[in-house]
């Protein structure tokens, strides 16, 4: 399935929690180096969709193929696939009992991707890249929200993933900290990282997205370039949503 550089292939994805059908029929392909931004009102299924891409949510029906691996197939080793998919959460999900360096080197050393020395060297490079080299010994409680999120991005990068998933990475931040996180994400996009970003940051979508998806009620209502979806939306529901947020 990895031909045409398709990194993520989603076909007729459905997800229910009991009787509640959150994703009703979602099909989309994400190609290598694309930045796909997913917009939509609360409850539209955006975060659930994202969490199905690395099987943090079990998939009710349909097919999801990531990097050529069918993750809907029970026989697929999801942990192996996840090593290639970094995930950045809304609330950072750092380990509070470990300092920044400890958070950074945990996965690469635990999963035998690197020795402690290699992981440490790589972590220092990544912290420098996100502007936090001076915080290597700090604990999460000593960091601002924006700093925590930049550490979380650096931690995701420590596994050298092909794909990064971002679940509302700036929504828990004070407004003045949003910019520093978006700056790191823009840098990654410019370097060709494949990214799927659930966000309310319309400016980021306009500036960085190769494609914008608008979701509502468990479906993809509209998708296209930022210009098509944000400036010339065709669907009434998209127009209504954008009129409230722009």
């Amino acid at each position: 399935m990895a031909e045409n550089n398709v990194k993520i292939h989603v076909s007729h994805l459905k997800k229910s929690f009991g009787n509640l059908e959150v994703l009703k029929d979602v099909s989309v392909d994400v190609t290598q180096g694309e930045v796909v931004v997913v917009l939509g009102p609360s409850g539209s299924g955006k975060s659930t969709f994202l969490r199905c891409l690395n099987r943090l949510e079990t998939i009710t029906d349909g097919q999801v193929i990531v990097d050529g691996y069918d993750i809907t197939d029970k026989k697929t080793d999801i942990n192996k696939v996840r090593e290639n998919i970094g995930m950045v959460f809304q609330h950072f999900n750092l380990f509070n009992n470990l300092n920044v360096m400890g958070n950074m080197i945990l996965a690469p050393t635990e999963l035998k991707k690197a020795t402690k020395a290699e992981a440490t060297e790589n972590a220092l490079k990544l912290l420098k890249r996100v502007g936090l080299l001076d915080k290597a010994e700090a604990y999460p409680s000593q960091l601002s929200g924006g700093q925590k999120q930049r550490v979380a991005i650096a931690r995701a990068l420590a596994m050298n993933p092909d794909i990064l998933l971002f679940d509302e990475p700036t929504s828990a931040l004070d407004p003045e900290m949003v910019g520093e996180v978006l700056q790191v994400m823009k840098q990654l996009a410019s370097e060709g990282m494949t990214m799927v970003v659930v966000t309310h940051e319309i400016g980021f979508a306009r500036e960085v997205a190769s494609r914008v998806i608008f979701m509502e009620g468990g479906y993809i209502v509209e998708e296209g370039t930022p210009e098509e979806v944000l400036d010339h939306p065709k669907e009434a529901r998209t127009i209504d949503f954008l009129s409230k947020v722009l």
Side-chain angles (χ1 to χ4, degrees):
M1 199 59 235
E3 66 266 20
N4 313 337
N5 290 345
V6 173
K7 298 295 280 179
I8 302 172
H9 170 72
V10 179
S11 177
H12 303 294
L13 171 63
K14 295 178 182 172
K15 171 63 186 172
S16 299
F17 295 97
N19 296 329
L20 178 67
E21 201 178 17
V22 177
L23 298 176
K24 295 173 182 165
D25 187 357
V26 175
S27 296
V28 68
D29 282 352
V30 178
T31 57
Q32 187 162 359
E34 253 196 312
V35 178
V36 176
V37 169
V38 185
L39 301 174
S42 294
S44 57
K46 308 181 299 291
S47 288
T48 301
F49 164 68
L50 197 73
R51 292 168 68 86
C52 285
L53 299 183
N54 60 2
R55 228 172 69 195
L56 281 177
E57 297 295 355
T58 50
I59 291 159
T60 306
D61 199 14
Q63 189 178 44
V64 179
I65 296 175
V66 178
D67 263 342
Y69 294 96
D70 183 350
I71 68 167
T72 28
D73 183 344
K74 294 280 185 281
K75 293 194 286 291
T76 299
D77 179 355
I78 189 63
N79 291 323
K80 200 81 201 132
V81 181
R82 281 188 190 139
E83 287 179 13
N84 249 350
I85 317 175
M87 177 105 177
V88 178
F89 300 88
Q90 184 176 349
H91 294 291
F92 331 123
N93 289 22
L94 296 174
F95 296 105
N96 289 322
N97 60 328
L98 296 175
N99 65 12
V100 166
M101 185 53 78
N103 270 280
M104 293 284 298
I105 68 173
L106 183 68
T109 52
E110 287 278 315
L111 295 165
K112 308 283 189 283
K113 285 253 172 168
T115 64
K116 191 170 178 189
E118 289 164 346
T120 302
E121 184 185 354
N122 189 39
L124 290 169
K125 279 186 195 143
L126 290 168
L127 287 173
K128 184 174 182 186
R129 187 166 159 188
V130 298
L132 291 173
L133 192 53
D134 59 329
K135 299 293 183 190
E137 300 304 320
Y139 281 82
S141 60
Q142 299 168 304
L143 303 177
S144 71
Q147 289 170 335
K148 285 182 200 175
Q149 196 58 293
R150 284 186 283 153
V151 170
I153 294 171
R155 179 179 65 173
L157 290 171
M159 288 295 287
N160 201 20
D162 285 347
I163 299 164
L164 277 181
L165 308 177
F166 291 86
D167 191 4
E168 301 202 15
T170 58
S171 62
L173 300 178
D174 292 335
E176 67 267 27
M177 290 172 189
V178 169
E180 65 191 59
V181 173
L182 292 180
Q183 199 50 51
V184 173
M185 292 169 66
K186 285 174 192 169
Q187 182 65 36
L188 289 170
S190 71
E191 290 163 13
M193 175 65 77
T194 306
M195 293 159 59
V196 183
V197 185
V198 170
T199 185
H200 294 292
E201 298 290 336
I202 304 287
F204 175 80
R206 195 185 293 281
E207 195 180 334
V208 182
S210 10
R211 193 150 40 111
V212 174
I213 290 173
F214 176 74
M215 286 183 73
E216 161 74 345
Y219 295 100
I220 292 177
V221 174
E222 190 161 354
E223 67 175 300
T225 64
E227 190 187 22
E228 287 165 346
V229 176
L230 300 175
D231 298 335
H232 307 287
K234 296 182 180 64
E235 301 297 326
R237 189 61 196 92
T238 320
I239 294 167
D240 179 50
F241 174 78
L242 290 171
S243 74
K244 295 188 171 85
V245 297
L246 286 178

